[in-house]
């Protein structure tokens, strides 16, 4: 499918149909196409045709969609960033990516008012389409480059598999800076559907959230399992509140069987799907419909079958394929795998490689194949998922160690029934810092560190608990004994 042509087609045949609705207002397909053409014309005048990325910074505003399409219509990939990110992290991403232009909703509205649609050179299949930044283990966010070919491969697969009807309403829960949002955004736009965005304000207030959902008319629900779990707390969250829902599409973290079962009970005519994949392989690579048969058969739900053009390899530590149903690292090979991390050949070389003429990615996920289905069993490293957010614990540790008050830091997940509930930081303070304020309580110290960290990290990465230690326990190899810390304190 030609994604941009397909979206433009809806602009011609259904110009008055809403492409996007949020509490910020509505945007029709006619406006989306005209305004993105105008923005593209202006960008082509301002920027050399060098494929330099453009940051689009906002929170669920319709102008963000205009900017995404405007950028790629002028052959510039976009970096979607949410305003919830601290200014320092935005500045770091901007420096790493060599960004010359940051578009905010206000800018975009001004530009499209003053310019006219103009023909431009659009992004071609092998060029970067978007770049999504994820947590990096050394404290430096890394930009995953997704080409138009990667995105097309993902969209073609989902459209074929799900057989969406024209004009459906798709729930957008994730901010545009997370690749889960690519699922609802592009599946909505290529099928002439409407993207219904929930803002952080609505999500934070149960009253506003359920009011918004009840008026949304959502037919395809896209969210993390954690978000659905939160919604299920409300008893009226059912087919009475959302009578049109036909399917729930989940991705990004483990789907607990009890969540799938509750959804099937409360939405008897809807399907529940588990999909799996990292940002590095364009949103999702495997999928499976979770019905009663699957629920009865497996206590841990499978993540499913891979898309037809993808090979999943399960490799042991020496890189050899494991025997059937043995566990190992999940490696994804196929056209949806990213070329690599932006301007980081070192990181790219570590986890990406070419395999039988296709791009391949070492996910760092542990899994196995049974009954021809892929099962996810956890991580081989210190990456965790908290409420669907991908976090490298090393990212937080390195920012903690960068604070003058801190001599050493370890961050661990706090688990409840094997699910990450929150984060805990174990900190050794600097003597000088202690001398400066010897009477501070641990509570005051925790608060001070949290506030400092908040200048560098988004709020979902801030540890909930701080433990102040004078030494860390060590393993016989002399490494910090994370297991002992967890067993003693958590
Ligand atoms: P992200 O790049 O933020 O999409 O995170 C990708 C990681 O989330 C994967 O490498 C897995 O560790 C985890 N993940 C994604 N989908 C699932 C799923 N359906 N079940 C369990 N873990 C998942």
């Amino acid at each position: 499918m030609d994604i941009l042509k397909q979206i433009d087609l809806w602009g011609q045949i259904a110009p008055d149909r809403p492409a996007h609705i949020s509490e910020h207002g509505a945007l029709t397909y006619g406006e989306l196409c005209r305004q993105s053409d105008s923005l593209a014309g202006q960008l082509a005048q301002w920027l050399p045709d060098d494929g330099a990325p453009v940051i689009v910074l906002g929170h669920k505003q319709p102008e963000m969609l205009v900017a995404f399409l405007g950028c790629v219509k002028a052959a510039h990939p976009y970096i979607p960033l949410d305003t919830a990110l601290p200014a320092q992290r935005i500045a770091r991403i901007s420096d790493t990516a060599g960004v010359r232009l940051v578009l905010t909703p206000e800018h975009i509205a001004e530009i499209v008012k003053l310019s006219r649609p103009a023909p431009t050179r659009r992004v071609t299949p092998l060029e970067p389409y978007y770049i999504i930044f994820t947590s990096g283990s050394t404290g430096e966010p890394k930009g995953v480059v997704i080409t138009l070919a990667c995105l097309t491969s993902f969209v073609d697969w989902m459209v074929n598999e799900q057989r969406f009807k024209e004009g459906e309403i798709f729930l957008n829960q994730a901010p545009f800076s997370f690749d889960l949002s690519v699922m609802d955004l592009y599946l909505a736009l290529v099928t002439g559907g409407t993207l219904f965005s929930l803002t952080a304000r609505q999500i934070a207030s149960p009253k506003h959230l359920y009011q918004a959902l009840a008026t949304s008319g959502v037919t395809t629900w896209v969210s993390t399992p954690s978000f659905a779990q939160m919604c299920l707390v409300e008893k009226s969250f059912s087919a009475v509140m959302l009578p049109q829902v036909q399917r729930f599409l989940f991705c990004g973290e483990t789907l607990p069987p009890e969540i799938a079962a509750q959804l099937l009970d409360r939405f008897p005519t809807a399907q529940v799907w588990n999909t799996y994949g990292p940002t590095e392989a364009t949103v999702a690579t495997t999928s499976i419909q979770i019905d009663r048969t699957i629920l009865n058969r497996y206590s841990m739900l499978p993540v499913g079958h891979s898309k037809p053009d993808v090979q999943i390899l399960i490799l042991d530590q020496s890189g050899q394929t494991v025997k059937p149903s043995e566990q190992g690292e999940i490696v994804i090979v196929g056209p949806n795998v990213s070329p690599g991390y932006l301007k980081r050949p070192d990181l790219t070389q570590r986890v990406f490689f070419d395999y039988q003429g296709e791009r391949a990615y070492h996910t760092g996920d542990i899994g196995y194949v049974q009954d021809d289905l892929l099962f996810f069993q956890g991580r081989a490293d210190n990456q965790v998922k908290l409420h669907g957010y991908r976090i490298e614990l090393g990212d937080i540790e390195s920012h903690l160690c960068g604070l003058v008050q801190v001599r050493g830091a370890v961050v661990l997940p706090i688990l409840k029934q094997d699910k990450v509930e929150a984060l805990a930081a174990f900190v050794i303070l600097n003597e000088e810092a202690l001398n400066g304020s010897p009477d501070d309580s641990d509570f005051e110290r925790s608060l001070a560190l949290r506030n400092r960290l908040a200048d560098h990290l988004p709020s979902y990465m801030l540890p909930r608990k701080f433990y102040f230690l004078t030494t860390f326990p060590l393993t016989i190899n002399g490494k910090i004994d994370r297991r002992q810390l967890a067993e003693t304190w958590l």
Side-chain angles (χ1 to χ4, degrees):
M1 172 190 313
D2 184 328
I3 291 176
L4 291 177
K5 254 197 194 151
Q6 184 59 43
I7 300 171
D8 280 344
L9 189 66
W10 296 117
Q12 285 158 24
I13 61 180
D16 299 326
R17 186 184 297 170
H20 184 229
I21 293 178
S22 72
E23 62 172 347
H24 300 292
L27 177 78
T28 64
Y29 272 95
E31 288 165 336
L32 174 63
C33 294
R34 204 171 43 252
Q35 293 181 14
S36 55
D37 284 342
S38 300
L39 181 64
Q42 194 58 63
L43 293 180
Q45 276 187 26
W46 282 346
L47 302 173
D49 184 8
D50 59 359
V54 172
I55 285 181
V56 180
L57 175 64
H59 180 68
K60 310 262 180 138
Q61 292 88 350
E63 289 85 359
M64 293 184 82
L65 277 71
V66 171
F68 298 158
L69 298 188
C71 287
V72 290
K73 283 178 171 179
H76 289 277
Y78 62 88
I79 302 174
L81 294 184
D82 196 85
T83 36
L85 279 184
Q88 289 204 23
R89 196 138 171 122
I90 295 173
R92 243 175 143 146
I93 291 173
S94 174
D95 283 353
T96 310
V99 165
R100 289 193 295 266
L101 183 65
V102 177
L103 293 172
T104 62
E106 297 75 32
H107 274 123
I108 300 157
E110 275 302 303
I111 298 169
V112 298
K113 233 189 273 165
L114 299 174
S115 41
R116 306 217 161 280
T120 47
R121 185 184 84 73
R122 295 178 165 201
V123 65
T124 54
L126 297 182
E127 285 182 306
Y129 186 99
Y130 66 74
I131 299 156
I132 282 190
F133 275 79
T134 73
S135 179
S137 57
T138 57
E140 203 59 59
K142 49 190 189 203
V144 181
V145 174
I146 295 299
T147 62
L148 171 59
C150 292
L151 179 63
T152 307
S153 162
F154 165 71
V155 168
D156 280 344
W157 167 57
M158 288 292 270
V159 166
N160 269 327
E161 179 179 81
Q162 296 293 331
R163 311 234 155 258
F164 302 102
K165 293 199 194 82
E166 180 191 325
E168 286 204 28
I169 300 179
F170 289 72
L171 179 73
N172 162 240
Q173 167 247 325
F176 294 129
S177 44
F178 292 98
D179 87 328
L180 176 59
S181 68
V182 170
M183 188 184 286
D184 41 77
L185 171 63
Y186 284 99
L187 295 181
L189 294 185
V190 300
T191 56
T194 300
L195 187 71
F196 183 87
S197 282
L198 289 170
T199 61
R201 188 192 76 94
Q202 290 170 314
I203 292 173
S205 146
K207 184 175 146 227
H208 290 119
L209 170 63
Y210 295 116
Q211 261 174 12
L213 287 177
T215 56
S216 67
V218 159
T219 58
T220 291
W221 174 285
V222 180
S223 82
T224 57
S226 292
F227 182 71
Q229 188 170 15
M230 184 185 95
C231 292
L232 281 164
V233 170
E234 168 61 45
K235 290 212 168 52
S236 65
F237 177 71
S238 66
V240 177
M241 182 185 284
L242 286 159
Q244 277 108 338
V245 173
Q246 287 160 25
R247 62 178 83 70
F248 289 85
L249 300 179
F250 292 114
C251 194
E253 59 179 352
T254 300
L255 174 63
E258 54 286 3
I259 301 300
Q262 279 188 58
L263 289 171
L264 290 177
D265 286 344
R266 294 212 203 166
F267 298 86
T269 56
Q271 298 181 349
V272 172
W273 287 76
N274 191 14
T275 74
Y276 154 87
T279 304
E280 285 85 343
T282 322
V283 192
T285 292
T286 70
S287 68
I288 181 167
Q289 187 188 343
I290 306 296
D291 56 16
R292 300 275 175 202
T293 316
I294 297 283
L295 274 172
N296 292 337
R297 189 173 304 159
Y298 302 106
S299 56
M300 188 178 79
L301 295 178
V303 295
H305 309 274
S306 63
K307 58 202 273 288
D309 53 1
V310 153
Q311 257 193 88
I312 298 281
L313 310 176
I314 308 286
L315 302 184
D316 65 17
Q317 284 186 343
S318 57
Q320 300 300 309
T321 309
V322 299
K323 296 202 192 84
S325 52
E326 274 182 10
Q327 71 166 47
E329 186 189 10
I330 303 172
V331 169
I332 301 172
V333 187
N336 52 324
V337 174
S338 153
Y341 299 113
L342 184 70
K343 298 191 179 168
R344 291 302 303 266
D346 52 335
L347 293 182
T348 300
Q349 210 187 357
R350 224 176 279 163
V351 287
F352 290 93
F353 61 107
D354 291 328
Y355 182 83
Q356 297 177 348
E358 294 259 33
R359 201 71 179 137
Y361 172 63
H362 283 282
T363 61
D365 290 332
I366 303 298
Y368 62 91
V369 175
Q370 189 193 317
D371 305 334
D372 217 19
L373 293 168
L374 181 66
F375 287 78
F376 168 86
Q377 285 185 299
R379 294 283 307 173
D381 58 11
N382 289 328
Q383 181 181 302
V384 298
K385 278 282 172 137
L386 174 58
H387 306 313
Y389 294 113
R390 169 169 160 179
I391 300 172
E392 291 284 355
L393 298 176
D395 195 349
I396 309 170
E397 288 165 1
S398 94
H399 281 284
L400 266 171
C401 290
L403 302 177
V404 283
Q405 300 94 325
V406 175
R407 193 147 59 81
V410 172
V411 177
L412 293 179
I414 301 173
L415 302 175
K416 195 174 169 193
Q417 288 162 353
D418 287 340
K419 193 174 172 196
V420 181
E421 268 263 302
L423 301 173
F426 297 85
V427 175
I428 301 178
L429 288 171
N430 261 324
E431 293 296 324
E432 303 90 76
L434 281 174
N435 291 340
S437 48
D439 299 329
D440 277 0
S441 66
D442 280 359
F443 174 74
E444 286 163 324
R445 288 188 181 130
S446 307
L447 206 63
L449 290 186
R450 249 182 89 90
N451 286 341
R452 286 284 157 83
L453 267 190
D455 291 338
H456 305 273
L457 297 174
S459 56
Y460 63 82
M461 288 176 78
L462 300 179
R464 183 192 288 169
K465 284 192 175 169
F466 285 82
Y467 296 90
F468 296 97
L469 308 181
T470 47
T471 54
F472 290 135
L474 298 182
T475 63
I476 24 176
N477 301 334
K479 288 188 179 173
I480 295 175
D481 194 340
R482 292 169 169 265
R483 182 179 294 188
Q484 195 185 326
L485 274 176
E487 281 170 7
T488 313
W489 298 93
L490 301 179

